[in-house]
Amino acid sequence: MHTNCRGGEFSKPGLQEPVVGGRLLEAPQILLEASQKADFCLVLQVPRPGDSDISSPYGGSRPQAPKQRGRQHTARQPEYQPSHGPRGSVPSLPPQMSERQEFQASELDFLLENSSYDYGENESHSCCPSPPCPQDFSLNFDRAFLPVLYSLLFVLGLLGNGAVAAVLLSQRAALSSTDTFLLHLAVADALLVLTLPLWAVDAAVEWVFGSGLCKVAGALFNINFYAGALLLACISFDRYLSIVHATQLYRRGPPTRVALTCVAVWGLCLLFALPDFIFLSAHHDKRLNATHCQYSFPQVGRTALRVLQLVAGFLLPLLVMAYCYARILAVLLVSRGQRRLRAMRLVVVVVVAFALCWTPYHLVVLVDTLMDLGAVARNCGRESSVDVAKSVTSGMGYMHCCLNPLLYAFVGVKFRERMWMLLMRLGCPDQRGHQRQPPASRRDSSWSETTEASYSGL
Amino acid sequence: MNMKGMATVLAVIFCATIVQGFPMFKGGRCLCTGPGVKAVKVADIEKVSIIYPSNNCDKTEIIITLKTHKGQRCLNTNSKQAKVIIKKVERMNFLKYQKV
């Protein structure tokens, strides 16, 4: 879409310029004009830059970017923009703090005073004119792709996880440890996908919900994202203990131990969502010319933190899961049992699904980080591709939320039985008395086949 | 002992939680990817925009709109012309500030 080097640009004017010009400079502006000719025409887009709230003059109710795009191809005029707005009014804070200032050509006389510029062999008129890179391609892609993806994940995730939660909650007997983790996992995944419609609107238009909802939705998203990861680790650890060490850590101890673990999980997640509450806010971005729910800490620390996320947020949990399930596999390999193969297959699927869903995303983030660090050369086309890739691969990551019910609950024969029983009970309430209670001996076996295998197969 | 090891691992994992790379939290990038041109012919300039550092870009960027659909240019902020512009703007801002 965007190339760095556009030869012969002057022979075909308007090929790329209106897009760039439209998004960048045709935005609504408040012109604070001192004088038409002699003085500067100071264009201040944001009077209060340090403000973390929606501080733009056209705030949240501004006509959105897609609308702008419609007119920029037609209404783009080469003449100077007419000055309007409060005449002679001057910003009441140090103007050097404003985020964006613009000057018309008539105010640029001072440049002529010093006309001995090094034009670099007519550089500006030949090759490589260094046009700005407004990322229109990736933004438009996000605008179309993300809302569709998020809606789909919202429906699928809510259905699947809702079903898991309903089945588990409808159970009369006390939940086993794995079932408790599964219930919490379903709740976390459901809460995560609940925020997706908000992000769909954010991607399609901009963040119109204000700073408060930005903090809450962002925190909710992250709490549940990390709760999901932690609970997956808990499940793998629980299975590892029960199969490899056969210690039944949670079953023999006081029943509150599982509950305590879950409380600890949620507490940790809440604790780590504190930065979201502090730093997230609806912020008007000068360069995107739109309001988005963003972190208000600068780019400096972000790169280092992103590296940490790659190592600790993905590689470590993957290693924990891989280790636990590898040990389980080793036990299953030497064991005899009818469900052995099925359980082994499931173990592989669980780990591979996690890796498949999250590896592409982290690879893209790695490339992005390398670009930030300067190890990979930046150019406009590459930035666009990275942004598009990030949208697609993060979608794959969120898809893991919808896969969890399938991978952990619906694979179990007993879980499916119970779900049909629940559905039948819902369909024909008269037959309530006819349902058979699950045998008490199986009370503590989870519906996941791997754990089941530890009892039936080992 | 296993619980302790598990807790340690999880603690390390969760240290990473303040990092967000998700697209929903992403802002924009810097608009200028390259170093930018050293200078633009003054006669061609229609408009000059100076964009100061924000959450998503640590740099000050100067974008020049050229007349008659000739496009936009990123001006190298270390170039002579850019320095003249920035100096002028700062001086002007200072004067305006003094007036208030």
Side-chain angles (χ1 to χ4, degrees):
Chain A
M1 191 83 186
H2 301 285
T3 53
N4 223 5
C5 197
R6 285 192 200 96
E9 186 172 295
F10 283 82
S11 59
K12 35 181 182 176
L15 269 186
Q16 50 88 28
E17 186 269 337
V19 177
V20 176
R23 234 176 50 73
L24 278 180
L25 300 178
E26 282 200 349
Q29 292 161 350
I30 297 174
L31 299 180
L32 305 172
E33 191 197 352
S35 161
Q36 190 68 21
K37 284 185 180 176
D39 212 352
F40 281 98
C41 171
L42 176 63
V43 183
L44 289 178
Q45 287 207 322
V46 171
R48 296 175 297 140
D51 198 339
S52 63
D53 211 328
I54 305 176
S55 59
S56 77
Y58 32 87
S61 58
R62 187 175 59 87
Q64 310 310 335
K67 199 172 168 187
Q68 270 189 10
R69 292 188 55 76
R71 70 175 166 86
Q72 65 193 214
H73 287 277
T74 54
R76 172 74 181 156
Q77 296 297 330
E79 75 261 12
Y80 303 154
Q81 296 198 339
S83 301
H84 55 275
R87 268 187 93 84
S89 67
V90 167
S92 61
L93 79 168
Q96 61 266 27
M97 288 185 61
S98 66
E99 290 183 1
R100 183 172 187 149
Q101 289 181 302
E102 301 187 352
F103 305 92
Q104 306 296 328
S106 53
E107 285 88 48
L108 294 169
D109 291 341
F110 65 88
L111 284 174
L112 288 168
E113 297 164 9
N114 198 343
S115 56
S116 62
Y117 297 121
D118 173 22
Y119 288 94
E121 299 174 45
N122 212 9
E123 186 181 1
S124 61
H125 285 188
S126 55
C127 180
C128 312
S130 300
C133 174
Q135 293 130 24
D136 280 315
F137 179 69
S138 60
L139 286 174
N140 287 335
F141 179 84
D142 281 1
R143 219 165 267 150
F145 173 76
L146 288 182
V148 175
L149 174 81
Y150 288 168
S151 318
L152 203 68
L153 292 179
F154 174 70
V155 173
L156 287 179
L158 219 52
L159 276 180
N161 291 296
V164 172
V167 169
L168 289 175
L169 286 175
S170 72
Q171 192 189 0
R172 297 264 165 78
L175 292 175
S176 73
S177 59
T178 307
D179 292 343
T180 310
F181 289 135
L182 274 182
L183 178 62
H184 284 259
L185 181 68
V187 170
D189 285 347
L191 282 176
L192 188 143
V193 297
L194 264 182
T195 66
L196 285 181
L198 297 179
W199 307 116
V201 173
D202 180 52
V205 193
E206 65 173 1
W207 189 260
V208 294
F209 307 106
S211 273
L213 206 50
C214 168
K215 287 176 194 295
V216 171
L220 201 61
F221 180 90
N222 284 313
I223 288 173
N224 291 293
F225 169 74
Y226 286 106
L230 186 53
L231 287 165
L232 287 182
C234 285
I235 290 174
S236 68
F237 191 63
D238 181 44
R239 287 173 172 178
Y240 165 76
L241 284 183
S242 67
I243 293 178
V244 176
H245 293 293
T247 49
Q248 298 195 343
L249 177 75
Y250 291 117
R251 290 185 190 89
R252 286 206 185 131
T256 52
R257 202 173 274 176
V258 186
L260 274 180
T261 311
C262 288
V263 166
V265 166
W266 290 106
L268 262 181
C269 294
L270 267 176
L271 186 71
F272 284 103
L274 275 180
D276 298 331
F277 281 111
I278 296 167
F279 290 112
L280 271 179
S281 65
H283 185 86
H284 185 83
D285 192 285
K286 290 291 128 288
R287 290 168 172 83
L288 288 175
N289 200 13
T291 301
H292 285 292
C293 187
Q294 292 177 351
Y295 289 91
S296 52
F297 51 69
Q299 203 177 9
V300 185
R302 197 172 300 164
T303 302
L305 291 173
R306 223 184 254 168
V307 174
L308 191 67
Q309 180 192 38
L310 179 71
V311 175
F314 169 67
L315 293 179
L316 260 166
L318 186 64
L319 283 180
V320 169
M321 284 179 75
Y323 175 76
C324 289
Y325 285 125
R327 294 292 301 273
I328 292 174
L329 265 189
V331 170
L332 289 177
L333 269 176
V334 297
S335 69
R336 292 272 172 270
Q338 283 190 327
R339 289 208 166 109
R340 188 175 72 103
L341 275 177
R342 187 174 156 75
M344 281 170 59
R345 204 177 55 201
L346 191 66
V347 162
V348 173
V349 166
V350 162
V351 177
V352 167
F354 182 80
L356 266 187
C357 282
W358 284 111
T359 307
Y361 169 75
H362 286 280
L363 283 180
V364 172
V365 171
L366 181 68
V367 172
D368 198 22
T369 307
L370 289 179
M371 248 163 56
D372 277 354
L373 291 172
V376 174
R378 283 165 58 104
N379 70 48
C380 204
R382 197 172 286 159
E383 283 188 353
S384 268
S385 338
V386 165
D387 283 345
V388 166
K390 210 194 264 181
S391 296
V392 173
T393 52
S394 70
M396 290 172 64
Y398 307 150
M399 208 171 64
H400 197 249
C401 288
C402 306
L403 287 181
N404 281 336
L406 296 178
L407 290 176
Y408 289 89
F410 287 108
V411 284
V413 179
K414 267 175 289 178
F415 183 87
R416 287 202 298 267
E417 274 174 16
R418 277 169 215 243
M419 195 183 66
W420 288 124
M421 261 161 52
L422 182 69
L423 284 178
M424 274 166 55
R425 206 198 310 168
L426 287 175
C428 348
D430 302 340
Q431 296 181 345
R432 276 187 88 105
H434 295 285
Q435 61 172 310
R436 53 200 166 100
Q437 291 292 328
S441 61
R442 287 195 167 186
R443 191 185 69 85
D444 60 350
S445 84
S446 96
W447 294 315
S448 49
E449 304 288 308
T450 48
T451 317
E452 206 170 284
S454 66
Y455 302 108
S456 60
L458 299 181
Chain B
M1 197 183 109
N2 270 325
M3 280 295 277
K4 205 179 252 179
M6 181 83 173
T8 313
V9 168
L10 291 177
V12 174
I13 291 172
F14 279 75
C15 282
T17 52
I18 43 172
V19 198
Q20 309 306 331
F22 294 119
M24 46 197 54
F25 304 120
K26 86 164 180 209
R29 298 173 180 278
C30 294
L31 290 168
C32 296
T33 47
V37 295
K38 285 181 187 160
V40 173
K41 279 183 181 161
V42 179
D44 284 342
I45 296 177
E46 179 182 323
K47 192 158 64 177
V48 175
S49 303
I50 301 176
I51 311 178
Y52 293 99
S54 65
N55 286 342
N56 305 298
C57 180
D58 291 336
K59 292 186 293 187
T60 296
E61 297 180 306
I62 301 178
I63 293 172
I64 293 177
T65 307
L66 301 179
K67 286 174 186 173
T68 61
H69 291 296
K70 285 178 186 171
Q72 293 183 314
R73 299 284 181 274
C74 283
L75 193 62
N76 188 336
T77 43
N78 292 321
S79 72
K80 199 171 168 188
Q81 193 176 36
K83 280 180 178 152
V84 169
I85 292 176
I86 290 174
K87 203 170 151 192
K88 193 78 181 174
V89 169
E90 275 170 3
R91 191 174 134 75
M92 189 197 66
N93 287 338
F94 179 71
L95 289 177
K96 292 214 167 176
Y97 186 51
Q98 293 248 305
K99 261 193 250 171
V100 174

